[in-house]
Amino acid sequence: MPAVQPNTDQMTRFAKDAHDGPIVMINLLKFKDKAEYPADAPEAKESLSGEEAYNRYGDGLVELGKDPQIGVNPIYTGSGQGYLIGGGEEWDRVLVVHYPSRQHMLRMMRDPRYQKAHRHREAGLKYQELIETHPTG
């Protein structure tokens, strides 16, 4: 089911999961055609695309990645080009992000710098799928 934010049950499960090692989040992203900022936001008059707004969010994450307490590390980004096997939603972008632990990701989500950048995500993102993965072996 398309969503922009985790629901309460998903967030509770994520926060309480016992896995304390690294996690890699696979993001499948669909952008709005036109970014939707509140009328009083400075960007409201810029006529940004959803992708351009989301890129501003991404710039904020790159800055957060410089903080070892946060540890966010985007390891791959690419545009969706269609399916070879299966089929379904045509995604605009795939983003793969590494975190040293779930605690690093939760710390990031509470950080004021993340909150400041997050408004660009909300303005530009139509919906997404976010898949948590753990290393095997």
Side-chain angles (χ1 to χ4, degrees):
M1 177 174 205
V4 174
Q5 300 295 341
N7 64 37
T8 301
D9 291 341
Q10 290 168 325
M11 197 65 224
T12 299
R13 184 214 51 84
F14 179 79
K16 293 184 176 185
D17 190 290
H19 175 77
D20 66 352
I23 60 173
V24 171
M25 302 301 273
I26 299 171
N27 298 256
L28 304 174
L29 307 170
K30 187 70 170 179
F31 302 121
K32 295 174 184 172
D33 291 332
K34 183 174 173 12
E36 297 174 4
Y37 286 98
D40 61 343
E43 298 85 1
K45 296 181 178 159
E46 291 186 48
S47 296
L48 297 173
S49 70
E51 184 173 16
E52 290 170 323
Y54 190 89
N55 289 343
R56 291 182 181 191
Y57 166 72
D59 292 344
L61 290 186
V62 169
E63 285 302 310
L64 280 169
K66 296 175 183 175
D67 182 341
Q69 294 299 311
I70 303 296
V72 60
N73 179 25
I75 56 177
Y76 176 81
T77 186
S79 60
Q81 298 298 311
Y83 286 86
L84 178 61
I85 297 175
E89 178 63 53
E90 294 292 324
W91 299 101
D92 295 325
R93 185 179 300 166
V94 175
L95 176 62
V96 181
V97 182
H98 175 270
Y99 297 88
S101 73
R102 88 180 47 258
Q103 292 308 313
H104 283 81
M105 185 172 176
L106 290 167
R107 193 175 303 122
M108 176 194 75
M109 294 168 75
R110 292 187 299 264
D111 190 286
R113 296 168 294 176
Y114 176 81
Q115 295 300 321
K116 183 178 178 183
H118 193 263
R119 66 193 188 86
H120 300 297
R121 179 184 179 276
E122 290 178 344
L125 193 59
K126 187 173 182 180
Y127 51 85
Q128 80 174 95
E129 298 282 334
L130 182 58
I131 304 163
E132 176 184 352
T133 71
H134 301 169
T136 57

